[in-house]
Amino acid sequence: MKSSRAWSLVGVSLLASLVLPVSAARAQGGDCLSVRSPVVDVEQQRLADPRTGLLIAAGGLTPFVERFPAALCGMRSAGEARELVRVWGSALWQSAVRRAQGPGGGSLAAGDDRPLYWARLALDRQLDGWQPEFAVDAAGLRQDFEDASRGLTDNDFRGTPGVRRLFISGFDPFGLDAELRRANPSGSVALSLNGRRVTLADGERVEIRAVVLPVRYADFDRGMVERAFGRRMAPGPRSADRITTISQGYPGKFTLEAWAGRARSADPYPDNEGALSGGTYQSPVVAPGMGPGAEFIETSLPTAAMTAAVQTPWPVLLNTTVSEIPAGGGATVDRENGPTPGSRAVEGGGGGYLSNEVAYRSNRLRLELRPDLPGGHLHTPVLTGLPADPAQLTGAEFEANEAAIRAEVQTLLSAEWS
């Protein structure tokens, strides 16, 4: 573990690199960064659209993209590089959280989650193109940066006596080939609530910590969900008292998902990298790296209190539907009132995509480590309201809808915990 002085020195180095002139990248060996190398990452290919740079700038995060090459090219060892990507990732995360909770930065509304997404992706691209003169663990550096820039590290509960602790997760934007300007209200919720304290319906106070997860099967396969949630379930004063995974779901309504299913079954719908899960509605699969667990896991959130807390501007419903292959059967059957004994999971209430999987993985781990801990999944309404003109990045209706979703989520999360 690094001393606080070492971390301070790294932080000073980061701040210095953020204010270097752009030409400093060349002065410090800018040729070490090959931005001309072929882009094989489907997600990074979308950076070629100039609107992505405009979204970064409109969120006030352009300095990170401009200065990161100079910082990378100034590294002289693998150890320095690892410290650098962790500190830069944390700084990017904290900058996005600050703008989400303050007056904002740039011309976008404060709670907009898109600048963080595109800025992170731009820095991922630069990191992938880095060609140092010494050996590095490229995959490890990428994971360290991703974890830090998503709130997985340096983002612990304060452990204040008398304050309860809620850990939540949101997601990146997705479906970007159809509409590049899309945001994800669950990511906006995570940024807007991370580190905040709210008052519950029963008068108790709760501190909220959050992460924003990628819409990528490969990251789930490598255990990102377990890394995010596992450390928040470790015994001690900084352990969560409740977990709630959040994602964007259905048009016009919130749903509390009664059941999470063990399977992936969303093909042919791809993830943000264009990858498929290998599982379909008729032939579901279990994800790599999935620990042992039941076919379906039932929510333990206080759904009655949560649905009674608010029903406007969107209704909040308890969704008990699942899809299963019944015991002894071969064909998939939809059930309105949960699974039947001995069946095989096809879809949870949230489908067979990553929103269902984050609920299953986090609650499977919860049952293994902290079975007394309440947990479950909340789907927000689909965020609508983007202007018809594809050149307009935001609009009044879009911003109002996103703000209203955030407000209703906070009310739901603040419902009585008993």
Side-chain angles (χ1 to χ4, degrees):
M1 180 177 292
K2 294 290 181 180
S3 69
S4 58
R5 175 172 171 76
W7 274 111
S8 296
L9 291 174
V10 173
V12 169
S13 175
L14 170 59
L15 292 174
S17 63
L18 280 173
V19 298
L20 284 172
V22 176
S23 59
R26 289 185 290 274
Q28 295 188 14
D31 288 343
C32 79
L33 191 68
S34 176
V35 295
R36 297 181 182 85
S37 59
V39 178
V40 296
D41 186 324
V42 170
E43 197 169 22
Q44 291 178 9
Q45 287 177 359
R46 300 187 186 100
L47 291 166
D49 191 309
R51 292 175 296 176
T52 64
L54 294 175
L55 283 165
I56 296 169
L61 298 181
T62 300
F64 283 92
V65 181
E66 292 179 339
R67 315 306 182 195
F68 195 43
L72 283 174
C73 293
M75 294 297 97
R76 294 297 176 260
S77 72
E80 282 187 11
R82 190 164 193 184
E83 297 289 356
L84 182 83
V85 299
R86 289 172 173 173
V87 172
W88 272 75
S90 292
L92 181 61
W93 168 258
Q94 293 298 337
S95 293
V97 168
R98 282 194 297 272
R99 79 168 301 276
Q101 297 179 15
S107 58
L108 291 178
D112 201 310
D113 66 309
R114 296 173 295 174
L116 173 61
Y117 172 74
W118 292 110
R120 182 195 301 111
L121 200 59
L123 269 64
D124 279 339
R125 170 75 177 115
Q126 293 170 341
L127 185 58
D128 288 348
W130 184 38
Q131 299 175 345
E133 296 178 352
F134 47 88
V136 295
D137 175 7
L141 288 176
R142 175 73 175 269
Q143 179 176 299
D144 285 347
F145 175 72
E146 283 280 321
D147 283 3
S149 64
R150 294 181 175 280
L152 272 72
T153 57
D154 300 325
N155 189 28
D156 292 328
F157 292 105
R158 298 181 185 92
T160 306
V163 177
R164 304 182 78 171
R165 297 171 297 277
L166 169 64
F167 186 65
I168 65 173
S169 66
F171 273 107
D172 284 345
F174 64 100
L176 300 169
D177 289 332
E179 173 53 83
L180 189 83
R181 298 173 296 163
R182 280 181 178 160
N184 193 321
S186 69
S188 177
V189 165
L191 291 172
S192 298
L193 293 181
N194 184 69
R196 289 186 57 191
R197 290 181 179 177
V198 300
T199 301
L200 302 178
D202 60 8
E204 291 194 76
R205 293 179 301 160
V206 61
E207 178 186 351
I208 302 174
R209 291 288 166 174
V211 292
V212 176
L213 298 171
V215 183
R216 298 189 297 241
Y217 287 116
D219 291 81
F220 276 51
D221 294 347
R222 291 190 290 265
M224 180 173 277
V225 174
E226 288 78 5
R227 289 199 307 278
F229 283 85
R231 62 179 292 172
R232 274 81 184 194
M233 296 183 196
R238 299 191 179 188
S239 178
D241 295 312
R242 175 181 291 182
I243 62 169
T244 305
T245 53
I246 307 172
S247 64
Q248 180 176 245
Y250 308 100
K253 62 183 178 182
F254 281 91
T255 54
L256 285 161
E257 305 304 339
W259 299 93
R262 187 172 172 81
R264 288 177 176 174
S265 55
D267 294 355
Y269 192 81
D271 69 4
N272 273 351
E273 289 184 326
L276 297 176
S277 71
T280 67
Y281 180 76
Q282 294 298 340
S283 299
V285 298
V286 176
M290 187 79 78
E295 288 293 308
F296 292 95
I297 296 176
E298 188 173 11
T299 185
S300 55
L301 294 176
T303 55
M306 294 177 77
T307 54
V310 61
Q311 287 289 336
T312 58
W314 291 278
V316 182
L317 309 174
L318 178 62
N319 181 19
T320 60
T321 62
V322 300
S323 298
E324 65 176 17
I325 298 175
T332 296
V333 176
D334 297 332
R335 303 286 189 192
E336 292 186 359
N337 296 306
T340 56
S343 67
R344 180 183 173 195
V346 177
E347 292 184 352
Y353 195 48
L354 290 169
S355 56
N356 169 78
E357 188 168 326
V358 71
Y360 185 89
R361 282 183 179 267
S362 60
N363 282 281
R364 189 211 66 79
L365 189 64
R366 173 182 65 81
L367 292 174
E368 181 180 292
L369 300 177
R370 294 277 306 282
D372 60 321
L373 190 74
H377 188 80
L378 172 67
H379 264 124
T380 75
V382 173
L383 176 58
T384 60
L386 280 169
D389 181 356
Q392 294 186 33
L393 302 179
T394 190
E397 181 183 356
F398 173 79
E399 293 176 3
N401 287 343
E402 190 169 51
I405 290 174
R406 288 197 306 270
E408 193 163 346
V409 170
Q410 183 170 334
T411 301
L412 286 167
L413 296 178
S414 301
E416 190 168 342
W417 281 30
S418 58

